[in-house]
Amino acid sequence: MKRRDMLAGSTGLALGGALFGIPRAEAQQPRLASSQVLRVAVGVDDIRTVDPHFSIGVGEQPVTRSVYEGLLLFPEGLVAGEGLRPGLAERWESSPDRKSWTFHLRRGVEWHHGFGPFTADDVVFSLDRVRGREPGSPFRNTLSEIETVQAQDPHTVRITLKNPDANFVGLLVDYAAGFIVSKRAVEQGVDLRTRPVGTGPFQSTEYRPRESFTLERNDAYWGGKPVLDRIIVQFMSDASTRELALRGGELHAIEIPARQDAVDRLRRARMVVDLTSPANMFTLHFNTSMQPLDDIRVRKALSHATNRDELLQFLGRDVSQPEYSPLPSGYVGHTSDVPRYPFDPDRAKALLAEAGHGGGLTLSTPVSNNAIYSPPMQVIQEQWKRVGVNLELRVVDHPTYHRLIRENVAPVVIYGAYRYPLTGRLYFDQFYHSSAIVGTPTAITNFSHFRGADAEIEAARFETDPEKQKALWMTVQRKILEEAMSMPLFTRAYAMARSPKLDLGHEQKSWSFYTFSEKTRVLA
């Protein structure tokens, strides 16, 4: 009898909710805040440019990624080569030889600020703009294998490559070289550095130098009307100021230092901390064009003198992971089956003595004052001192550091890098191919002056069999470490924090700052 009464009572409550017009599913939905204005802060004093074909600053990403789109879109909140979504192209196909690619464009898409419909001419213009010598996009080499880009009709584009590339579509995503800009806006003289014109869910309304950049929702967005009314991106270079503003409720999201103490402190304050990857892998590059680094015994000694575990302990358990290969873990072609140089001070001392440096060795190298570069090098400085190596660190500002290491004046270079697509292609082209050696006319970032795997790197560029391509990249990794050209150290996650009231509409697994979409909302 009692059980029957209990069941009747619970049924009555359910019916009562329905009779009063409150469906149970709806009653459980979180309430939206009355103000859908999102305030975020990035760790810069100001932006340099939000023209997507030239923007390389972390602080510019919340603007460029909210305003612009590519033919394809990454999975939400994730950088990945698989699971790419239709963006400004609804579908695409390639010829059997993977040299010709056809993209069928989305209809009914409008450019912000009344610049008309999006068409194939915009795609041709954008890709030609990136790969042209003028005005000189930093992403030009990304599209260097394109032979021609042609508009077949207003909604169809055909791209012909110089060589086969089974992974080509991965370059046309909403990132760097893949962003599409308005041909009409550029030709009419709009300065995209501060007045971006895109097709995304948010459009620019105001830029205040050294203060903020404001975006408003694009009611005509093809993906649906955004929930947020406005996004205000504030420039705050000081980490403590950003953290206080988040904890005080003035901000909904911030960029934070990738340090364990910052992560722990914000978690204790009941903020949501997101640690994301892929992120910068830090590597020590040994300059073999300089003595005594031209001696492999010295390079091996310095590798054995470096305690990777101590570095990870210093950085923090949540924000870093060890790396052993010149190609970061998680990249297509990565292998952990490579020569390793475990921490072994006695072996390091023996190798130095064998190389004629038993009485000690002094090296002088520049290092950036940037908070993610200088501390690890100071730890390494102490480690090498234990084996008789005096590493003199000449601390300079970050821009000067980048200039000096490209002028080939540094015997040892610490460098953090992340390259998309997540394959061996760009990593090996830029860091280990002879054409990228610093101090040469075609220099990029080959700080070690390595020349020993050009054949494999070049063969892998155009290999259409995925397994053969991976095998070539694995060979490259082994050759680099057999010669002890570099010492992979760790990957340091990107770190950011947000109020529990910020519902992104997706899980943030990648990127160096939060990404916002038409589904992002502020909760009460």
Side-chain angles (χ1 to χ4, degrees), residues 184-242:
R184 180 180 296 180
V186 175
E187 290 181 341
Q188 289 186 9
V190 175
D191 188 352
L192 299 186
R193 291 178 299 177
T194 58
R195 295 179 59 205
V197 178
T199 56
F202 299 96
Q203 54 191 346
S204 67
T205 56
E206 184 181 28
Y207 164 56
R208 295 184 177 183
R210 301 184 66 82
E211 183 178 327
S212 64
F213 209 112
T214 301
L215 306 173
E216 290 190 356
R217 75 181 183 198
N218 173 16
D219 288 346
Y221 181 53
W222 61 265
K225 182 179 176 180
V227 178
L228 293 176
D229 293 322
R230 190 177 301 117
I231 301 174
I232 301 175
V233 181
Q234 297 179 233
F235 310 137
M236 290 186 184
S237 59
D238 184 73
S240 298
T241 302
R242 293 196 304 274

Side-chain angles (χ1 to χ4, degrees), residues 47 79-80 186 213 306 447:
I47 60 168
V79 174
V186 175
F213 209 112
T306 305
F447 303 112

Side-chain angles (χ1 to χ4, degrees), residues 415-427:
Y415 199 88
Y418 149 74
R419 295 291 182 267
Y420 180 84
L422 307 182
T423 70
R425 173 71 185 271
L426 285 180
Y427 236 92

Side-chain angles (χ1 to χ4, degrees), residues 219-334:
D219 288 346
Y221 181 53
W222 61 265
K225 182 179 176 180
V227 178
L228 293 176
D229 293 322
R230 190 177 301 117
I231 301 174
I232 301 175
V233 181
Q234 297 179 233
F235 310 137
M236 290 186 184
S237 59
D238 184 73
S240 298
T241 302
R242 293 196 304 274
E243 182 175 330
L244 287 172
L246 177 67
R247 297 173 68 164
E250 300 166 40
L251 297 171
H252 298 100
I254 63 172
E255 171 190 347
I256 68 172
R259 297 199 317 260
Q260 193 66 46
D261 62 327
V263 170
D264 292 343
R265 188 170 57 249
L266 283 160
R267 283 175 174 167
R268 286 195 300 268
R270 300 186 183 281
M271 297 297 162
V272 180
V273 175
D274 294 284
L275 301 171
T276 63
S277 62
N280 287 344
M281 180 178 83
F282 284 79
T283 301
L284 275 181
H285 298 268
F286 302 127
N287 189 340
T288 59
S289 72
M290 293 179 141
Q291 294 182 343
L293 282 305
D294 58 340
D295 189 327
I296 190 172
R297 294 169 297 185
V298 173
R299 300 196 299 273
K300 287 183 176 181
L302 295 178
S303 299
H304 281 301
T306 305
N307 189 336
R308 190 184 281 106
D309 291 338
E310 194 172 75
L311 278 167
L312 294 173
Q313 184 178 0
F314 171 79
L315 294 167
R317 62 188 180 278
D318 291 337
V319 299
S320 58
Q321 68 175 44
E323 295 285 0
Y324 301 94
S325 169
L327 185 64
S329 54
Y331 282 55
V332 175
H334 167 86

Side-chain angles (χ1 to χ4, degrees), residues 426-441:
L426 285 180
Y427 236 92
F428 293 138
D429 279 2
Q430 294 185 8
F431 289 99
Y432 297 104
H433 191 272
S434 62
S435 65
I437 291 174
V438 294
T440 67

